[in-house]
PDB file of all heavy atoms in Angstrom:
ATOM      1  N   LEU P  29      -7.035  -5.098  43.921  1.00 98.00           N
ATOM      2  CA  LEU P  29      -5.781  -5.499  43.292  1.00 98.00           C
ATOM      3  C   LEU P  29      -4.656  -5.025  44.217  1.00 98.00           C
ATOM      4  O   LEU P  29      -4.616  -3.852  44.596  1.00 98.00           O
ATOM      5  CB  LEU P  29      -5.636  -4.828  41.918  1.00 98.00           C
ATOM      6  CG  LEU P  29      -4.326  -5.132  41.191  1.00 98.00           C
ATOM      7  CD1 LEU P  29      -4.246  -6.603  40.778  1.00 98.00           C
ATOM      8  CD2 LEU P  29      -4.189  -4.251  39.937  1.00 98.00           C
ATOM      9  N   THR P  31      -0.702  -4.642  44.355  1.00 98.00           N
ATOM     10  CA  THR P  31       0.580  -4.760  43.646  1.00 98.00           C
ATOM     11  C   THR P  31       1.622  -5.228  44.666  1.00 98.00           C
ATOM     12  O   THR P  31       1.575  -4.834  45.834  1.00 98.00           O
ATOM     13  CB  THR P  31       1.038  -3.423  43.028  1.00 98.00           C
ATOM     14  OG1 THR P  31       1.388  -2.524  44.080  1.00 98.00           O
ATOM     15  CG2 THR P  31      -0.035  -2.812  42.132  1.00 98.00           C
ATOM     16  N   THR P  55      -0.435  -8.946  42.310  1.00 96.00           N
ATOM     17  CA  THR P  55       0.592  -8.967  41.265  1.00 96.00           C
ATOM     18  C   THR P  55       1.947  -9.225  41.914  1.00 96.00           C
ATOM     19  O   THR P  55       2.168  -8.923  43.081  1.00 96.00           O
ATOM     20  CB  THR P  55       0.683  -7.626  40.500  1.00 96.00           C
ATOM     21  OG1 THR P  55       1.439  -6.689  41.284  1.00 96.00           O
ATOM     22  CG2 THR P  55      -0.677  -7.058  40.169  1.00 96.00           C
ATOM     23  N   HIS P  71       1.347 -11.923  36.867  1.00 93.00           N
ATOM     24  CA  HIS P  71       2.731 -11.484  36.722  1.00 93.00           C
ATOM     25  C   HIS P  71       2.732 -10.033  36.276  1.00 93.00           C
ATOM     26  O   HIS P  71       2.079  -9.685  35.301  1.00 93.00           O
ATOM     27  CB  HIS P  71       3.457 -12.325  35.671  1.00 93.00           C
ATOM     28  CG  HIS P  71       3.677 -13.726  36.122  1.00 93.00           C
ATOM     29  ND1 HIS P  71       3.585 -14.816  35.302  1.00 93.00           N
ATOM     30  CD2 HIS P  71       3.984 -14.210  37.349  1.00 93.00           C
ATOM     31  CE1 HIS P  71       3.815 -15.909  35.986  1.00 93.00           C
ATOM     32  NE2 HIS P  71       4.052 -15.571  37.244  1.00 93.00           N
ATOM     33  N   LEU P  72       3.481  -9.215  36.979  1.00 95.00           N
ATOM     34  CA  LEU P  72       3.523  -7.801  36.591  1.00 95.00           C
ATOM     35  C   LEU P  72       4.801  -7.161  37.105  1.00 95.00           C
ATOM     36  O   LEU P  72       5.142  -7.303  38.281  1.00 95.00           O
ATOM     37  CB  LEU P  72       2.320  -7.048  37.191  1.00 95.00           C
ATOM     38  CG  LEU P  72       2.191  -5.601  36.745  1.00 95.00           C
ATOM     39  CD1 LEU P  72       1.596  -5.514  35.348  1.00 95.00           C
ATOM     40  CD2 LEU P  72       1.336  -4.804  37.712  1.00 95.00           C
ATOM     41  N   ASN P  73       5.483  -6.474  36.201  1.00 95.00           N
ATOM     42  CA  ASN P  73       6.625  -5.665  36.611  1.00 95.00           C
ATOM     43  C   ASN P  73       6.137  -4.223  36.667  1.00 95.00           C
ATOM     44  O   ASN P  73       5.646  -3.688  35.668  1.00 95.00           O
ATOM     45  CB  ASN P  73       7.760  -5.831  35.583  1.00 95.00           C
ATOM     46  CG  ASN P  73       9.003  -5.099  36.024  1.00 95.00           C
ATOM     47  OD1 ASN P  73       8.937  -4.144  36.808  1.00 95.00           O
ATOM     48  ND2 ASN P  73      10.148  -5.539  35.533  1.00 95.00           N
ATOM     49  N   ILE P  74       6.265  -3.615  37.827  1.00 96.00           N
ATOM     50  CA  ILE P  74       5.716  -2.271  38.045  1.00 96.00           C
ATOM     51  C   ILE P  74       6.429  -1.230  37.172  1.00 96.00           C
ATOM     52  O   ILE P  74       5.961  -0.099  37.021  1.00 96.00           O
ATOM     53  CB  ILE P  74       5.776  -1.923  39.568  1.00 96.00           C
ATOM     54  CG1 ILE P  74       4.725  -0.892  39.950  1.00 96.00           C
ATOM     55  CG2 ILE P  74       7.165  -1.491  40.006  1.00 96.00           C
ATOM     56  CD1 ILE P  74       3.323  -1.383  39.917  1.00 96.00           C
ATOM     57  N   LEU P  75       7.529  -1.637  36.557  1.00 96.00           N
ATOM     58  CA  LEU P  75       8.233  -0.705  35.664  1.00 96.00           C
ATOM     59  C   LEU P  75       7.646  -0.722  34.247  1.00 96.00           C
ATOM     60  O   LEU P  75       8.081   0.031  33.386  1.00 96.00           O
ATOM     61  CB  LEU P  75       9.730  -1.023  35.639  1.00 96.00           C
ATOM     62  CG  LEU P  75      10.419  -0.863  37.006  1.00 96.00           C
ATOM     63  CD1 LEU P  75      11.879  -1.234  36.954  1.00 96.00           C
ATOM     64  CD2 LEU P  75      10.257   0.579  37.519  1.00 96.00           C
ATOM     65  N   GLU P  76       6.631  -1.585  34.011  1.00 96.00           N
ATOM     66  CA  GLU P  76       6.013  -1.663  32.668  1.00 96.00           C
ATOM     67  C   GLU P  76       4.599  -1.085  32.693  1.00 96.00           C
ATOM     68  O   GLU P  76       3.632  -1.781  33.024  1.00 96.00           O
ATOM     69  CB  GLU P  76       5.999  -3.126  32.205  1.00 96.00           C
ATOM     70  CG  GLU P  76       7.407  -3.640  31.926  1.00 96.00           C
ATOM     71  CD  GLU P  76       7.468  -5.147  31.758  1.00 96.00           C
ATOM     72  OE1 GLU P  76       6.398  -5.796  31.681  1.00 96.00           O
ATOM     73  OE2 GLU P  76       8.593  -5.665  31.730  1.00 96.00           O
ATOM     74  N   GLN P  77       4.508   0.206  32.340  1.00 96.00           N
ATOM     75  CA  GLN P  77       3.231   0.913  32.490  1.00 96.00           C
ATOM     76  C   GLN P  77       2.093   0.338  31.636  1.00 96.00           C
ATOM     77  O   GLN P  77       0.957   0.228  32.099  1.00 96.00           O
ATOM     78  CB  GLN P  77       3.427   2.389  32.145  1.00 96.00           C
ATOM     79  CG  GLN P  77       2.221   3.226  32.543  1.00 96.00           C
ATOM     80  CD  GLN P  77       2.168   4.536  31.803  1.00 96.00           C
ATOM     81  OE1 GLN P  77       3.115   5.291  31.851  1.00 96.00           O
ATOM     82  NE2 GLN P  77       1.057   4.801  31.132  1.00 96.00           N
ATOM     83  N   VAL P  78       2.418  -0.058  30.400  1.00 96.00           N
ATOM     84  CA  VAL P  78       1.353  -0.563  29.517  1.00 96.00           C
ATOM     85  C   VAL P  78       0.763  -1.853  30.074  1.00 96.00           C
ATOM     86  O   VAL P  78      -0.456  -2.076  30.038  1.00 96.00           O
ATOM     87  CB  VAL P  78       1.896  -0.774  28.076  1.00 96.00           C
ATOM     88  CG1 VAL P  78       0.846  -1.410  27.180  1.00 96.00           C
ATOM     89  CG2 VAL P  78       2.368   0.558  27.508  1.00 96.00           C
ATOM     90  N   ALA P  79       1.634  -2.691  30.640  1.00 97.00           N
ATOM     91  CA  ALA P  79       1.153  -3.948  31.236  1.00 97.00           C
ATOM     92  C   ALA P  79       0.222  -3.659  32.414  1.00 97.00           C
ATOM     93  O   ALA P  79      -0.798  -4.335  32.596  1.00 97.00           O
ATOM     94  CB  ALA P  79       2.343  -4.791  31.685  1.00 97.00           C
ATOM     95  N   ILE P  80       0.543  -2.633  33.188  1.00 98.00           N
ATOM     96  CA  ILE P  80      -0.335  -2.279  34.331  1.00 98.00           C
ATOM     97  C   ILE P  80      -1.694  -1.822  33.798  1.00 98.00           C
ATOM     98  O   ILE P  80      -2.752  -2.230  34.288  1.00 98.00           O
ATOM     99  CB  ILE P  80       0.282  -1.145  35.196  1.00 98.00           C
ATOM    100  CG1 ILE P  80       1.721  -1.450  35.615  1.00 98.00           C
ATOM    101  CG2 ILE P  80      -0.577  -0.903  36.437  1.00 98.00           C
ATOM    102  CD1 ILE P  80       2.425  -0.288  36.321  1.00 98.00           C
ATOM    103  N   GLU P  81      -1.634  -0.981  32.765  1.00 97.00           N
ATOM    104  CA  GLU P  81      -2.877  -0.446  32.197  1.00 97.00           C
ATOM    105  C   GLU P  81      -3.760  -1.580  31.664  1.00 97.00           C
ATOM    106  O   GLU P  81      -4.971  -1.601  31.909  1.00 97.00           O
ATOM    107  CB  GLU P  81      -2.487   0.512  31.069  1.00 97.00           C
ATOM    108  CG  GLU P  81      -3.568   1.484  30.714  1.00 97.00           C
ATOM    109  CD  GLU P  81      -3.130   2.374  29.558  1.00 97.00           C
ATOM    110  OE1 GLU P  81      -1.998   2.898  29.578  1.00 97.00           O
ATOM    111  OE2 GLU P  81      -3.922   2.512  28.616  1.00 97.00           O
ATOM    112  N   ASN P  82      -3.137  -2.526  30.958  1.00 97.00           N
ATOM    113  CA  ASN P  82      -3.907  -3.658  30.408  1.00 97.00           C
ATOM    114  C   ASN P  82      -4.563  -4.463  31.523  1.00 97.00           C
ATOM    115  O   ASN P  82      -5.719  -4.876  31.421  1.00 97.00           O
ATOM    116  CB  ASN P  82      -2.996  -4.570  29.579  1.00 97.00           C
ATOM    117  CG  ASN P  82      -2.568  -3.885  28.291  1.00 97.00           C
ATOM    118  OD1 ASN P  82      -3.218  -2.934  27.844  1.00 97.00           O
ATOM    119  ND2 ASN P  82      -1.468  -4.333  27.702  1.00 97.00           N
ATOM    120  N   LEU P  83      -3.804  -4.671  32.593  1.00 97.00           N
ATOM    121  CA  LEU P  83      -4.341  -5.434  33.724  1.00 97.00           C
ATOM    122  C   LEU P  83      -5.533  -4.703  34.351  1.00 97.00           C
ATOM    123  O   LEU P  83      -6.568  -5.305  34.667  1.00 97.00           O
ATOM    124  CB  LEU P  83      -3.226  -5.660  34.768  1.00 97.00           C
ATOM    125  CG  LEU P  83      -3.598  -6.534  35.949  1.00 97.00           C
ATOM    126  CD1 LEU P  83      -3.892  -7.969  35.500  1.00 97.00           C
ATOM    127  CD2 LEU P  83      -2.481  -6.548  36.997  1.00 97.00           C
ATOM    128  N   LEU P  84      -5.396  -3.387  34.503  1.00 98.00           N
ATOM    129  CA  LEU P  84      -6.486  -2.602  35.103  1.00 98.00           C
ATOM    130  C   LEU P  84      -7.736  -2.643  34.230  1.00 98.00           C
ATOM    131  O   LEU P  84      -8.854  -2.767  34.739  1.00 98.00           O
ATOM    132  CB  LEU P  84      -6.036  -1.153  35.313  1.00 98.00           C
ATOM    133  CG  LEU P  84      -4.998  -0.935  36.414  1.00 98.00           C
ATOM    134  CD1 LEU P  84      -4.423   0.470  36.334  1.00 98.00           C
ATOM    135  CD2 LEU P  84      -5.609  -1.175  37.801  1.00 98.00           C
ATOM    136  N   ARG P  85      -7.544  -2.550  32.923  1.00 97.00           N
ATOM    137  CA  ARG P  85      -8.694  -2.604  32.010  1.00 97.00           C
ATOM    138  C   ARG P  85      -9.394  -3.960  32.097  1.00 97.00           C
ATOM    139  O   ARG P  85     -10.607  -4.069  32.004  1.00 97.00           O
ATOM    140  CB  ARG P  85      -8.237  -2.364  30.572  1.00 97.00           C
ATOM    141  CG  ARG P  85      -7.917  -0.925  30.260  1.00 97.00           C
ATOM    142  CD  ARG P  85      -7.581  -0.768  28.778  1.00 97.00           C
ATOM    143  NE  ARG P  85      -6.884   0.476  28.501  1.00 97.00           N
ATOM    144  CZ  ARG P  85      -7.478   1.654  28.353  1.00 97.00           C
ATOM    145  NH1 ARG P  85      -8.773   1.761  28.461  1.00 97.00           N
ATOM    146  NH2 ARG P  85      -6.752   2.733  28.103  1.00 97.00           N
ATOM    147  N   ARG P  86      -8.568  -5.017  32.295  1.00 96.00           N
ATOM    148  CA  ARG P  86      -9.125  -6.380  32.348  1.00 96.00           C
ATOM    149  C   ARG P  86      -9.868  -6.616  33.673  1.00 96.00           C
ATOM    150  O   ARG P  86     -10.986  -7.126  33.678  1.00 96.00           O
ATOM    151  CB  ARG P  86      -7.985  -7.399  32.185  1.00 96.00           C
ATOM    152  CG  ARG P  86      -8.433  -8.852  32.181  1.00 96.00           C
ATOM    153  CD  ARG P  86      -7.399  -9.764  31.541  1.00 96.00           C
ATOM    154  NE  ARG P  86      -6.166  -9.879  32.281  1.00 96.00           N
ATOM    155  CZ  ARG P  86      -5.992 -10.687  33.325  1.00 96.00           C
ATOM    156  NH1 ARG P  86      -6.984 -11.422  33.764  1.00 96.00           N
ATOM    157  NH2 ARG P  86      -4.822 -10.746  33.942  1.00 96.00           N
ATOM    158  N   VAL P  92      -7.179  -0.344  44.559  1.00 98.00           N
ATOM    159  CA  VAL P  92      -5.804  -0.789  44.299  1.00 98.00           C
ATOM    160  C   VAL P  92      -4.970  -0.449  45.533  1.00 98.00           C
ATOM    161  O   VAL P  92      -4.969   0.699  45.992  1.00 98.00           O
ATOM    162  CB  VAL P  92      -5.193  -0.095  43.059  1.00 98.00           C
ATOM    163  CG1 VAL P  92      -3.717  -0.464  42.907  1.00 98.00           C
ATOM    164  CG2 VAL P  92      -5.958  -0.469  41.797  1.00 98.00           C
ATOM    165  N   HIS P  94      -1.181  -0.252  46.620  1.00 98.00           N
ATOM    166  CA  HIS P  94       0.134  -0.269  45.963  1.00 98.00           C
ATOM    167  C   HIS P  94       1.230  -0.611  46.993  1.00 98.00           C
ATOM    168  O   HIS P  94       1.735   0.252  47.704  1.00 98.00           O
ATOM    169  CB  HIS P  94       0.415   1.093  45.322  1.00 98.00           C
ATOM    170  CG  HIS P  94       1.711   1.126  44.590  1.00 98.00           C
ATOM    171  ND1 HIS P  94       2.151   0.086  43.795  1.00 98.00           N
ATOM    172  CD2 HIS P  94       2.683   2.078  44.517  1.00 98.00           C
ATOM    173  CE1 HIS P  94       3.331   0.400  43.284  1.00 98.00           C
ATOM    174  NE2 HIS P  94       3.679   1.590  43.711  1.00 98.00           N
ATOM    175  N   LYS P 117       9.476   5.623  40.036  1.00 98.00           N
ATOM    176  CA  LYS P 117       8.983   5.373  38.677  1.00 98.00           C
ATOM    177  C   LYS P 117       7.816   4.376  38.715  1.00 98.00           C
ATOM    178  O   LYS P 117       6.820   4.535  38.005  1.00 98.00           O
ATOM    179  CB  LYS P 117      10.122   4.819  37.821  1.00 98.00           C
ATOM    180  CG  LYS P 117       9.982   5.123  36.378  1.00 98.00           C
ATOM    181  CD  LYS P 117      11.258   4.850  35.623  1.00 98.00           C
ATOM    182  CE  LYS P 117      10.932   4.755  34.154  1.00 98.00           C
ATOM    183  NZ  LYS P 117      11.820   3.874  33.433  1.00 98.00           N
ATOM    184  N   GLY P 118       7.933   3.369  39.587  1.00 98.00           N
ATOM    185  CA  GLY P 118       6.860   2.372  39.705  1.00 98.00           C
ATOM    186  C   GLY P 118       5.542   3.022  40.108  1.00 98.00           C
ATOM    187  O   GLY P 118       4.484   2.707  39.564  1.00 98.00           O
ATOM    188  N   SER P 119       5.596   3.962  41.044  1.00 98.00           N
ATOM    189  CA  SER P 119       4.362   4.631  41.503  1.00 98.00           C
ATOM    190  C   SER P 119       3.785   5.507  40.411  1.00 98.00           C
ATOM    191  O   SER P 119       2.555   5.563  40.215  1.00 98.00           O
ATOM    192  CB  SER P 119       4.642   5.496  42.739  1.00 98.00           C
ATOM    193  OG  SER P 119       5.244   4.725  43.720  1.00 98.00           O
ATOM    194  N   VAL P 120       4.651   6.226  39.704  1.00 98.00           N
ATOM    195  CA  VAL P 120       4.170   7.068  38.603  1.00 98.00           C
ATOM    196  C   VAL P 120       3.522   6.177  37.539  1.00 98.00           C
ATOM    197  O   VAL P 120       2.439   6.487  37.021  1.00 98.00           O
ATOM    198  CB  VAL P 120       5.318   7.892  37.978  1.00 98.00           C
ATOM    199  CG1 VAL P 120       4.841   8.646  36.741  1.00 98.00           C
ATOM    200  CG2 VAL P 120       5.879   8.872  39.001  1.00 98.00           C
ATOM    201  N   ASN P 121       4.165   5.060  37.224  1.00 98.00           N
ATOM    202  CA  ASN P 121       3.602   4.126  36.235  1.00 98.00           C
ATOM    203  C   ASN P 121       2.205   3.685  36.642  1.00 98.00           C
ATOM    204  O   ASN P 121       1.288   3.635  35.817  1.00 98.00           O
ATOM    205  CB  ASN P 121       4.489   2.893  36.098  1.00 98.00           C
ATOM    206  CG  ASN P 121       5.747   3.181  35.294  1.00 98.00           C
ATOM    207  OD1 ASN P 121       5.827   4.186  34.601  1.00 98.00           O
ATOM    208  ND2 ASN P 121       6.722   2.300  35.390  1.00 98.00           N
ATOM    209  N   LEU P 122       2.049   3.348  37.913  1.00 98.00           N
ATOM    210  CA  LEU P 122       0.741   2.885  38.381  1.00 98.00           C
ATOM    211  C   LEU P 122      -0.300   3.993  38.261  1.00 98.00           C
ATOM    212  O   LEU P 122      -1.399   3.779  37.726  1.00 98.00           O
ATOM    213  CB  LEU P 122       0.838   2.404  39.839  1.00 98.00           C
ATOM    214  CG  LEU P 122      -0.517   2.023  40.443  1.00 98.00           C
ATOM    215  CD1 LEU P 122      -1.044   0.725  39.828  1.00 98.00           C
ATOM    216  CD2 LEU P 122      -0.429   1.865  41.961  1.00 98.00           C
ATOM    217  N   LEU P 123       0.033   5.184  38.753  1.00 98.00           N
ATOM    218  CA  LEU P 123      -0.936   6.289  38.732  1.00 98.00           C
ATOM    219  C   LEU P 123      -1.306   6.660  37.300  1.00 98.00           C
ATOM    220  O   LEU P 123      -2.475   6.918  36.985  1.00 98.00           O
ATOM    221  CB  LEU P 123      -0.353   7.495  39.477  1.00 98.00           C
ATOM    222  CG  LEU P 123      -0.233   7.291  40.993  1.00 98.00           C
ATOM    223  CD1 LEU P 123       0.669   8.355  41.618  1.00 98.00           C
ATOM    224  CD2 LEU P 123      -1.607   7.308  41.662  1.00 98.00           C
ATOM    225  N   GLU P 124      -0.322   6.679  36.434  1.00 98.00           N
ATOM    226  CA  GLU P 124      -0.571   7.032  35.039  1.00 98.00           C
ATOM    227  C   GLU P 124      -1.415   5.937  34.364  1.00 98.00           C
ATOM    228  O   GLU P 124      -2.326   6.240  33.591  1.00 98.00           O
ATOM    229  CB  GLU P 124       0.781   7.222  34.343  1.00 98.00           C
ATOM    230  CG  GLU P 124       0.747   7.958  33.037  1.00 98.00           C
ATOM    231  CD  GLU P 124      -0.019   9.282  33.044  1.00 98.00           C
ATOM    232  OE1 GLU P 124      -0.065   9.991  34.068  1.00 98.00           O
ATOM    233  OE2 GLU P 124      -0.633   9.591  31.989  1.00 98.00           O
ATOM    234  N   ALA P 125      -1.134   4.681  34.718  1.00 98.00           N
ATOM    235  CA  ALA P 125      -1.921   3.575  34.145  1.00 98.00           C
ATOM    236  C   ALA P 125      -3.374   3.674  34.605  1.00 98.00           C
ATOM    237  O   ALA P 125      -4.302   3.459  33.812  1.00 98.00           O
ATOM    238  CB  ALA P 125      -1.311   2.237  34.563  1.00 98.00           C
ATOM    239  N   ILE P 126      -3.578   4.030  35.863  1.00 98.00           N
ATOM    240  CA  ILE P 126      -4.949   4.179  36.388  1.00 98.00           C
ATOM    241  C   ILE P 126      -5.660   5.291  35.614  1.00 98.00           C
ATOM    242  O   ILE P 126      -6.800   5.152  35.174  1.00 98.00           O
ATOM    243  CB  ILE P 126      -4.922   4.476  37.907  1.00 98.00           C
ATOM    244  CG1 ILE P 126      -4.465   3.231  38.678  1.00 98.00           C
ATOM    245  CG2 ILE P 126      -6.282   4.954  38.403  1.00 98.00           C
ATOM    246  CD1 ILE P 126      -4.215   3.450  40.164  1.00 98.00           C
ATOM    247  N   ALA P 129      -6.391   4.161  32.056  1.00 97.00           N
ATOM    248  CA  ALA P 129      -7.419   3.116  31.959  1.00 97.00           C
ATOM    249  C   ALA P 129      -8.814   3.708  32.084  1.00 97.00           C
ATOM    250  O   ALA P 129      -9.803   3.082  31.710  1.00 97.00           O
ATOM    251  CB  ALA P 129      -7.181   2.044  33.021  1.00 97.00           C
TER     252      ALA P 129
END
Side-chain angles (χ1 to χ4, degrees):
L29 178 67
T31 69
T55 80
H71 291 142
L72 186 78
N73 185 336
I74 205 70
L75 298 178
E76 292 168 9
Q77 191 200 304
V78 175
I80 308 173
E81 200 182 313
N82 290 340
L83 185 65
L84 289 168
R85 284 185 197 279
R86 182 160 67 82
V92 174
H94 182 42
K117 208 167 162 210
S119 306
V120 174
N121 284 344
L122 175 71
L123 290 165
E124 197 50 32
I126 290 172

